Amino acid sequence: RLRGDAKHSHHIKAARGGLGDPLRDEDLTQKLETLAAWGGSGCAPLPLKRALWSLETCAEAGSAMRLSRASA
């Protein structure tokens, strides 16, 4: 509620990045880079991105998991 008891609301039918409005590949890359920097994990986002995009064809998914770990 706002001053004067007024109400404002906004409904989003499909949030950007949700099932109804998925992010583009470029937006996903930017989000990964931003979150990796913000979180301070030390995770290198570009090798992780490559590993994630190749999950369907890789023989072992553990490499992507190892790349996603925070550096010590």
Side-chain angles (χ1 to χ4, degrees), residues 25-49:
D25 292 353
E26 299 83 24
D27 297 327
L28 283 169
T29 298
Q30 180 64 44
K31 185 173 184 174
L32 174 63
E33 292 171 355
T34 300
L35 290 174
W38 176 78
S41 68
C43 169
L46 294 180
L48 176 56
K49 178 190 95 162

Side-chain angles (χ1 to χ4, degrees), residues 43-57:
C43 169
L46 294 180
L48 176 56
K49 178 190 95 162
R50 285 187 210 105
L52 291 171
W53 283 118
S54 67
L55 278 176
E56 288 185 11
T57 59

